[in-house]
Amino acid sequence: MKTLLLSFKHCFFCVVSLFSIAVDAAPQVDTIFDTSVTFDPTITEPESFLGHRLGDQMTRNDRMIAYFQELAAQSERVRYEVIAYSNERRPIATLTITSANNHKNLAQLQMRHMSLQQGATPELTDMPVVSWINFGVHGGEVSSNDSALPIAYHLAAAQGKEIDKLLDNSVILLTASMNPDGNSREASWNLKYSSQISVSDPNHALHGSPWPSGRTNHYWFDLNRQWMLQQQPEPVGWVNKFHQWRPNIVADFHEMRSYKSFYFHPGAPDRVHPIINKQAMTLLSEVVQGPRDFLDSEARAYFNEEAYDNFYLGKGATYPHLYGSLGILFEQASSAGLLSTPRGILSFRDNIRTYYHVGLALLNNAVDKKTELLSFQQRFFSQTKEQAEDDKVKAYVFAAPEDPARMFHFLQLLERNKVSVRSLQKDLKANGTQFFADKAYIVETAQASYPMVKGLFSKVTEFENNTFYDVSGWTMPLAFGLKYEPLTRRNYKVGNPIKVTFPSQPNVPIAKVAYVFEWSNYYAPKVLYQLLTQGYRPRIANNEFQANTDQGLQTFQRGSVVVSTGWQGGGNNTELHQIMNNAAKNEGIPVFTLNSANTQSTGMDLGSNNIEPVSLPKILLVVGPGMSQYQAGEVWHLLDQRMSMPVVLLEKWRLNSVKLSDYTHLVMADGTYSDMTAGLTEKVTTWVKSGGTFVGMGDGAKWAGKKLLNLNTVTMKKGKSSAQPRIDYASKAHVEAQDIVGGAIMAGDLDITHPLGYGYSRREIASHRSGLLAFEPPKNPYATIIKIAKQPLLTGFTSAENQQQLAGNAMLVGQRLGQGSVIVFTDDPNFRGYFYGTEKLFMNSLFFSKLFSNPRSLAAE
């Protein structure tokens, strides 16, 4: 029998060793299926369809999809639906599985179930429980994906009283693969290096993993962090499907480190977000009794109430809790074909068998707990209403009048999470901040999605347990760079709930002399790049100016883009007008026309030296082994998907041979820099001094700060005494957590007069920080673009001591080096694709890196 060994997966921290063992030492798994069950012979078994045993090799995504379609064609219990397409246009399929009779009344059942969300009190005994099991959000966690096949077959083909009871009393949604691009990447690697004869030597290429790993999607995003954020097409589809049904349970199947046992929720009790209903954890523990019983029957070790948590609200096992569902995480030890571990020998096939039995046990347990689950969901929404009434905060007001497109993306996020929004109808002053009618919005807490409202808008800085599996702060208005305030009184006037539409602007008249648009607009970089690629010569205003426009006297801020109609070389004014009109219509950018080069501001006529040209950026992004796939993917996604800007992806090992002079910008994200040799460092330094721009983030910033700018990083001092303190070992995890920034949002003071700060109207800026890296202020007094605030923590966890030591130091530094520039970010400006409020800083580093200069005292250095 041919056995294919699979590569290591790919949980958040999976790094294990494979021991050479004989094939015949592996546990023998004759059948995955329950031998006591009779199956309908007219339904095709997965192994017959695939042409190989489950677990002998990874199932290709296209074959999985084809098998699901086959089941739907053969079984009246199964309906096939595509709920989304991945970035690579692979379908994300969901099977709706229930009895044939329930299928005939599915629309009515769905309507009755959803009525629970509006406080209806239907008879619960004859309502089915709605269960959603999903697989493969991390495409490299292979037993998760392949386990969907036998479960789907069982539900379609099993016969007898037990399956009839399950299907009569359930509507089951089964989604696989949730990340088909990552899973296909992983499968390709495994099939590429598979052998007729199994090879268990850990040095065999098969037992490595591709870069980027199968964990991530096409743009290298971790999709399990995207349920709330929905910045990728895959989660937009899942969450839409979730809200069509609001299932009673949502089970998420994963893999973890191979030396661990088996985990399922509930997680650590002191690491649950305070907005989550406390009764949910008790009921959840009862619902997983079926999986617990199965594992006990096989004397399998497992754990819960430790390590994993329900704090970050954007994961698949946590998000459902905000809507009266129970999110349940399953994690089993990853296998690599045949893997010897401290707990025994794992096999891929046995892992599939385990999840098959666990999944079915959970579904049957949900039926046994049907009344309790439906009652909980019914009570949840009445309790939510009471919580909203008791909340001191009655609403949140927010605005970003300088950027309609950024506001649109925030409103779109709220809409996708079923949060109702109203427009402000009367000017309002809240906590000293002015908000204007028709330019601000209100989200009231008294609504059905109250828990999500609190999850999105609240600032949380105090925690029962300071240890976090993921980020500790994600307050959305801060991430989007909005000004916002909580309101404790209903002293505001609002209209009806809004329908979110893109803010298309009016047609732009033909300009006699110039077109002007503000850089504060989110898609301004996209339009500027288009102008440059088509041969036009836009210029950037380095000072504020006033001018008479087609819409009257307007004040234009620093960074505004001026496009003259004359002296445009090969440019065509008809085409230029079309670009400007498209910018207004398609990109939401208000465009103004000027009929004179004379302005109302001294020294700022359109021919002024204070309105400087910019060059077309040619960007090289370093990727590959040793680089953070997450940060690199964020840059790639931002430029490619949002700004329609090409970016060359260069594997790190090729830096030695590439001709850097062909590019204007070199972007290096977090990663490992110990392999940057002296020769390569000199090559990069020479290129920068000759006119290139280096942009570094995280470890890339640390390397550049040290090697290119001679910047000192801040040394974080631990403790006040020179004597080493004695600490009880039981306190180790808590004490060490004090030295970690748990994905917090921090405040900074942004120099909005600096070209790297163009497009911002407020000096206070919020950025995402997940480490203690900061630079001491450089001796160039103009080089600190963002100074960490005196009291920096806005939301999330950072110890008071670390806050004090970070305060006053530099988060963003921009400095000239020879004819070029070095720009370094210690925080991630593009974090997870939702930090719209700091993305413009990164775009400024691409377009405006030559618009500033060193002071005269440093000009010769």
Side-chain angles (χ1 to χ4, degrees):
M1 179 184 67
K2 178 162 60 174
T3 301
L4 302 182
L5 302 185
L6 300 183
S7 67
F8 299 121
K9 271 50 79 205
H10 297 112
C11 63
F12 202 36
F13 305 104
C14 261
V15 180
V16 296
S17 297
L18 177 65
F19 299 91
S20 296
I21 58 175
V23 171
D24 60 6
Q28 297 300 311
V29 183
D30 294 328
T31 181
I32 286 173
F33 298 101
D34 188 336
T35 56
S36 67
V37 176
T38 301
F39 292 94
D40 184 344
T42 67
I43 307 295
T44 305
E45 294 185 22
E47 294 180 352
S48 298
F49 183 88
L50 298 172
H52 64 80
R53 289 199 330 156
L54 290 170
D56 282 358
Q57 67 181 58
M58 285 183 66
T59 302
R60 292 200 332 253
N61 179 258
D62 62 316
R63 299 299 292 155
M64 175 182 286
I65 293 298
Y67 181 65
F68 286 164
Q69 292 172 323
E70 182 85 351
L71 285 182
Q74 293 179 346
S75 173
E76 61 183 355
R77 301 171 179 175
V78 181
R79 290 185 185 176
Y80 172 89
E81 176 188 8
V82 175
I83 61 171
Y85 286 92
S86 70
N87 282 291
E88 295 175 16
R89 296 301 297 166
R90 290 186 175 91
I92 298 173
T94 292
L95 302 181
T96 303
I97 307 172
T98 189
S99 67
N101 188 57
N102 282 345
H103 269 302
K104 294 176 183 177
N105 303 295
L106 196 63
Q108 183 181 3
L109 292 175
Q110 183 180 14
M111 183 175 64
R112 288 184 67 196
H113 184 81
M114 290 301 292
S115 72
L116 296 174
Q117 322 295 313
Q118 284 82 45
T121 56
E123 177 59 45
L124 301 180
T125 55
D126 62 344
M127 289 180 64
V129 67
V130 181
S131 301
W132 189 11
I133 50 177
N134 59 64
F135 302 86
V137 68
H138 293 146
E141 295 174 0
V142 294
S143 68
S144 169
N145 249 359
D146 283 39
S147 301
L149 294 163
I151 294 175
Y153 169 70
H154 182 105
L155 296 173
Q159 296 178 318
K161 292 182 179 180
E162 185 174 347
I163 189 68
D164 290 343
K165 175 186 174 184
L166 173 61
L167 297 180
D168 286 343
N169 291 279
S170 296
V171 174
I172 299 167
L173 307 176
L174 184 155
T175 303
S177 156
M178 299 185 80
N179 177 11
D181 294 350
N183 180 250
S184 297
R185 187 185 311 129
E186 192 74 32
S188 176
W189 177 274
N190 280 276
L191 295 173
K192 174 182 177 181
Y193 290 111
S194 63
S195 307
Q196 179 69 28
I197 304 299
S198 62
V199 180
S200 58
D201 189 319
N203 294 315
H204 185 38
L206 176 67
H207 306 310
S209 182
W211 192 104
S213 71
R215 178 184 179 86
T216 57
N217 78 336
H218 175 80
Y219 285 105
W220 314 335
F221 278 59
D222 183 336
L223 296 181
N224 196 38
R225 273 67 180 163
Q226 285 282 318
W227 282 75
M228 177 174 62
L229 307 177
Q230 299 175 63
Q231 300 302 309
Q232 298 289 304
E234 299 94 339
V236 170
W238 320 328
V239 176
N240 182 57
K241 189 65 181 175
F242 169 83
H243 285 295
Q244 289 176 14
W245 274 101
R246 299 277 176 88
N248 296 101
I249 65 169
V250 178
D252 199 13
F253 292 84
H254 288 257
E255 287 183 347
M256 59 182 172
R257 285 179 175 182
S258 295
Y259 64 78
K260 293 188 176 183
S261 58
F262 193 101
Y263 168 85
F264 48 91
H265 271 4
D270 57 351
R271 290 162 60 186
V272 177
H273 195 284
I275 199 65
I276 291 178
N277 189 301
K278 290 179 174 54
Q279 299 171 16
M281 295 298 116
T282 301
L283 183 55
L284 190 156
S285 185
E286 297 173 4
V287 169
V288 295
Q289 187 59 47
R292 188 181 289 121
D293 289 342
F294 166 73
L295 294 169
D296 283 340
S297 73
E298 299 208 338
R300 295 279 299 274
Y302 54 81
F303 69 98
N304 54 33
E305 296 186 318
E306 66 172 287
Y308 296 93
D309 60 44
N310 278 109
F311 190 80
Y312 174 55
L313 302 177
K315 292 188 293 188
T318 307
Y319 183 89
H321 286 277
L322 302 185
Y323 299 94
S325 302
L326 299 186
I328 306 171
L329 172 66
F330 289 97
E331 296 266 2
Q332 72 174 334
S334 172
S335 71
L338 304 172
L339 180 63
S340 177
T341 77
R343 299 181 184 276
I345 296 174
L346 299 177
S347 77
F348 179 30
R349 184 169 171 82
D350 187 58
N351 272 3
I352 294 173
R353 175 184 175 274
T354 298
Y355 265 164
Y356 161 77
H357 285 279
V358 165
L360 292 175
L362 178 71
L363 294 174
N364 282 299
N365 210 160
V367 169
D368 293 340
K369 290 290 180 181
K370 181 182 77 166
T371 302
E372 291 92 328
L373 287 166
L374 292 168
S375 296
F376 171 78
Q377 199 163 58
Q378 193 175 56
R379 293 193 310 273
F380 177 86
F381 288 93
S382 61
Q383 292 170 352
T384 293
K385 184 177 180 180
E386 293 172 2
Q387 289 175 327
E389 291 173 352
D390 293 341
D391 197 326
K392 293 181 180 179
V393 176
K394 303 306 177 185
Y396 297 93
V397 58
F398 53 93
E402 72 280 3
D403 189 354
R406 178 159 45 93
M407 177 56 76
F408 161 77
H409 287 295
F410 182 66
L411 296 174
Q412 185 182 56
L413 175 71
L414 297 179
E415 183 179 61
R416 288 172 173 170
N417 287 298
K418 306 305 177 186
V419 172
S420 177
V421 183
R422 300 172 186 267
S423 61
L424 185 67
Q425 298 291 296
K426 183 180 179 181
D427 291 356
L428 175 69
K429 194 169 187 178
N431 301 322
T433 303
Q434 186 70 49
F435 297 90
F436 296 100
D438 299 322
K439 293 185 178 181
Y441 298 89
I442 293 281
V443 164
E444 296 178 301
T445 53
Q447 59 176 288
S449 296
Y450 166 78
M452 177 54 73
V453 171
K454 298 302 290 185
L456 293 172
F457 284 85
S458 295
K459 297 178 182 178
V460 181
T461 56
E462 295 182 2
F463 308 91
E464 185 177 355
N465 185 326
N466 294 334
T467 306
F468 299 96
Y469 187 80
D470 204 77
V471 297
S472 61
W474 55 84
T475 308
M476 287 297 161
L478 297 177
F480 277 75
L482 311 181
K483 63 177 183 178
Y484 92 110
E485 294 290 341
L487 303 176
T488 55
R489 294 184 299 142
R490 293 187 175 91
N491 60 334
Y492 50 82
K493 182 179 179 182
V494 293
N496 293 323
I498 66 168
K499 180 176 175 58
V500 179
T501 58
F502 189 78
S504 293
Q505 302 297 316
N507 287 328
V508 179
I510 296 174
K512 180 179 178 181
V513 171
Y515 298 94
V516 185
F517 58 92
E518 294 270 18
W519 189 249
S520 60
N521 294 286
Y522 183 75
Y523 289 107
K526 180 178 181 179
V527 176
L528 178 57
Y529 187 86
Q530 183 182 7
L531 289 166
L532 291 167
T533 55
Q534 296 193 22
Y536 295 98
R537 298 173 181 176
R539 301 172 76 87
I540 306 300
N542 285 323
N543 287 324
E544 177 186 294
F545 69 94
Q546 285 188 330
N548 287 315
T549 74
D550 60 298
Q551 300 177 48
L553 184 65
Q554 294 289 329
T555 299
F556 296 99
Q557 303 300 317
R558 291 181 176 88
S560 294
V561 182
V562 179
V563 192
S564 299
T565 57
W567 289 45
Q568 285 294 343
N572 179 291
N573 281 341
T574 300
E575 292 178 354
L576 176 59
H577 176 254
Q578 187 61 49
I579 292 172
M580 292 295 95
N581 217 35
N582 288 340
K585 287 291 182 184
N586 302 331
E587 314 303 341
I589 298 176
V591 178
F592 301 87
T593 63
L594 277 65
N595 291 327
S596 173
N598 178 247
T599 74
Q600 276 56 58
S601 298
T602 302
M604 282 299 293
D605 288 338
L606 297 192
S608 168
N609 291 331
N610 287 314
I611 304 179
E612 294 190 60
V614 288
S615 301
L616 181 72
K618 297 178 181 179
I619 304 156
L620 194 67
L621 173 63
V622 179
V623 300
M627 303 305 296
S628 166
Q629 60 183 341
Y630 303 118
Q631 277 198 357
E634 291 161 3
V635 172
W636 182 24
H637 177 260
L638 171 63
L639 298 179
D640 183 52
Q641 277 287 309
R642 293 181 178 168
M643 298 302 165
S644 298
M645 292 172 57
V647 54
V648 176
L649 308 180
L650 181 81
E651 292 165 302
K652 189 180 180 185
W653 64 268
R654 296 178 59 199
L655 267 174
N656 280 307
S657 58
V658 74
K659 186 180 178 182
L660 290 180
S661 59
D662 290 340
Y663 306 95
T664 62
H665 288 72
L666 176 63
V667 180
M668 297 187 74
D670 222 3
T672 302
Y673 284 81
S674 57
D675 57 348
M676 295 288 286
T677 64
L680 184 53
T681 300
E682 180 60 30
K683 178 180 179 178
V684 172
T685 303
T686 300
W687 170 76
V688 172
K689 288 182 176 179
S690 299
T693 295
F694 182 98
V695 180
M697 294 173 288
D699 288 330
K702 184 177 181 180
W703 177 84
K706 179 179 179 180
K707 298 295 185 179
L708 304 182
L709 296 181
N710 294 317
L711 294 178
N712 295 320
T713 56
V714 176
T715 301
M716 307 300 289
K717 300 176 182 177
K718 307 292 190 300
K720 299 180 180 179
S721 171
S722 59
Q724 196 67 20
R726 178 181 180 271
I727 305 173
D728 287 347
Y729 186 78
S731 304
K732 179 175 178 291
H734 175 74
V735 171
E736 290 180 347
Q738 305 303 306
D739 297 327
I740 297 173
V741 177
I745 299 180
M746 308 283 271
D749 175 42
L750 169 65
D751 180 1
I752 60 176
T753 71
H754 194 284
L756 295 181
Y758 285 174
Y760 292 88
S761 58
R762 298 181 296 278
R763 291 189 68 101
E764 183 178 278
I765 190 166
S767 64
H768 179 270
R769 170 170 285 269
S770 59
L772 296 172
L773 176 63
F775 292 111
E776 294 180 0
K779 60 182 178 179
N780 176 352
Y782 309 105
T784 299
I785 316 304
I786 296 181
K787 182 175 72 171
I788 299 172
K790 185 176 181 180
Q791 295 180 323
L793 183 63
L794 294 173
T795 185
F797 174 74
T798 305
S799 69
E801 182 182 27
N802 285 338
Q803 290 184 58
Q804 184 179 11
Q805 294 183 78
L806 287 169
N809 289 297
M811 188 284 275
L812 171 57
V813 174
Q815 193 158 305
R816 299 300 297 269
L817 182 63
Q819 297 178 50
S821 296
V822 179
I823 300 167
V824 289
F825 296 85
T826 64
D827 292 0
D828 184 353
N830 310 311
F831 183 65
R832 291 185 180 170
Y834 78 99
F835 251 79
Y836 285 74
T838 49
E839 285 179 345
K840 191 171 292 292
L841 295 171
F842 179 78
M843 299 308 303
N844 289 353
S845 75
L846 303 182
F847 286 101
F848 300 157
S849 61
K850 301 292 186 63
L851 293 187
F852 59 92
S853 60
N854 285 339
R856 291 182 181 179
S857 60
L858 299 176
E861 296 188 10

